[in-house]
């Protein structure tokens, strides 16, 4: 089981604000880092799967960066909208976790108009 | 494609009863897994399978059994339900197992709609 820390636990921003949150994970034997978006009463949906140190991925207003040497990933949301309200989960693979995907507890984002 | 389907959506059991949560996918995915979601605990992995006939334990396997006789189906069995198993259960699948080589998109997990289980 990989120890995954996500911060902050929750975040409340105004519409139009940009925001970012952090996922920290063990850097040894790292293989890949997953990000998922989970809206209330729905199922998690994949945002990104990142494998390379320095990798940066973007989907609309959401982007993510990866630092495998120090063991962290940042998720950025530019110009937050109410529909961005969700819990954002990260999950690394690697080390002795084998084929398991161990999720962090997530960052809960609320965007109000 | 129906994607990942789970049945039932809701279930109430009495302590000691047994039941099977069904999960099926029609995407020819090799990797399937079961998670439970509890308040403050996030998603915790119960069991997973990297292909038909191959299963392994996740973080919280006690009280649950799985089998994978076909690529499409991955049922989760509760042999003797306990109140501690009250939770929301999600099944997920991906083309290939996390941690394996290939396109990173092959490892993206597709989640089912979930089963809400209450054990009295």
């Amino acid at each position: 089981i990989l120890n995954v820390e996500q911060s902050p636990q929750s975040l409340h921003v105004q519409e139009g604000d940009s925001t970012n949150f952090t996922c920290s994970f063990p850097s040894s034997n790292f293989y890949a880092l997953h990000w998922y978006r989970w809206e209330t009463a729905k199922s998690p949906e994949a945002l990104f799967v990142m494998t390379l140190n320095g990798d940066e991925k973007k989907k609309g207003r959401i982007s993510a960066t990866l630092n495998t040497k120090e063991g962290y990933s940042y998720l950025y949301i530019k110009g937050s909208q109410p529909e961005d309200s969700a819990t954002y989960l990260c999950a690394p693979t690697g080390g002795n976790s084998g084929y398991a995907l161990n999720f962090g507890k997530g960052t809960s984002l609320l965007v109000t108009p | 494609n129906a994607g990942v389907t789970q049945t039932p959506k809701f279930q109430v059991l009495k302590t000691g009863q047994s039941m099977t949560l069904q999960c099926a996918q029609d995407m020819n995915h090799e990797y399937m897994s079961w998670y439970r979601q509890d308040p403050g605990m996030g998603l915790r992995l119960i069991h997973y399978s990297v292909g038909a006939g191959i299963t392994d334990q996740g973080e919280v396997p006690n009280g649950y059994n799985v089998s994978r006789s076909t690529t499409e189906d991955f049922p989760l069995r509760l042999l003797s339900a306990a109140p501690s198993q009250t939770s929301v259960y999600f099944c997920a699948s991906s083309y290939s197992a996390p941690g394996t080589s290939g396109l990173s998109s092959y490892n993206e997990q597709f989640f089912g709609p979930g089963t809400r289980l209450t054990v009295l």
Side-chain angles (χ1 to χ4, degrees):
Chain A
I1 299 172
L2 295 180
N3 186 26
V4 185
E5 298 289 335
Q6 290 191 248
S7 62
Q9 187 175 3
S10 63
L11 199 53
H12 181 188
V13 301
Q14 298 295 311
E15 182 176 357
D17 289 348
S18 293
T19 186
N20 66 86
F21 9 100
T22 305
C23 173
S24 300
F25 52 87
S27 58
S28 59
N29 297 320
F30 169 87
Y31 186 81
L33 191 282
H34 294 227
W35 280 102
Y36 290 81
R37 182 171 178 271
W38 193 2
E39 291 182 70
T40 302
K42 294 187 177 181
S43 304
E45 292 183 344
L47 285 172
F48 309 112
V49 178
M50 309 171 75
T51 57
L52 300 176
N53 185 46
D55 203 2
E56 180 171 345
K57 293 206 172 185
K58 188 175 182 180
K59 185 179 287 188
R61 293 178 291 97
I62 304 176
S63 61
T65 60
L66 179 65
N67 183 321
T68 62
K69 294 184 178 181
E70 296 183 32
Y72 65 84
S73 176
Y74 294 140
L75 189 79
Y76 301 91
I77 303 179
K78 183 178 179 181
S80 302
Q81 300 296 308
E83 57 265 31
D84 295 328
S85 298
T87 296
Y88 292 83
L89 304 172
C90 72
T93 64
N96 60 1
S97 68
Y99 301 122
L101 198 62
N102 296 117
F103 284 88
K105 294 182 181 179
T107 292
S108 177
L109 175 66
L110 177 64
V111 183
T112 51
Chain B
N1 286 351
V4 181
T5 58
Q6 290 184 237
T7 56
K9 290 189 175 181
F10 302 94
Q11 183 71 49
V12 179
L13 292 178
K14 294 181 179 179
T15 297
Q17 286 185 314
S18 63
M19 80 160 296
T20 299
L21 307 185
Q22 301 292 345
C23 173
Q25 51 86 15
D26 61 358
M27 298 174 281
N28 200 31
H29 283 175
E30 287 298 318
Y31 184 84
M32 297 184 75
S33 56
W34 277 102
Y35 293 88
R36 59 178 289 174
Q37 181 221 349
D38 302 295
M41 302 297 292
L43 284 171
R44 291 186 292 170
L45 182 64
I46 305 172
H47 285 285
Y48 64 92
S49 169
V50 297
I54 306 170
T55 64
D56 206 346
Q57 296 180 351
E59 181 184 357
V60 288
N62 292 341
Y64 307 95
N65 280 351
V66 292
S67 60
R68 184 95 180 270
S69 57
T70 67
T71 298
E72 294 78 19
D73 301 297
F74 191 44
L76 179 72
R77 297 183 185 85
L78 283 71
L79 299 179
S80 178
S84 60
Q85 294 179 304
T86 293
S87 188
V88 181
Y89 291 84
F90 287 95
C91 179
S93 72
S94 59
Y95 185 75
S96 57
T100 56
S101 62
L103 290 176
S104 58
S105 60
Y106 287 173
N107 301 154
E108 289 182 359
Q109 300 298 299
F110 290 79
F111 284 82
T115 293
R116 184 175 294 274
L117 175 68
T118 301
V119 183
L120 303 175

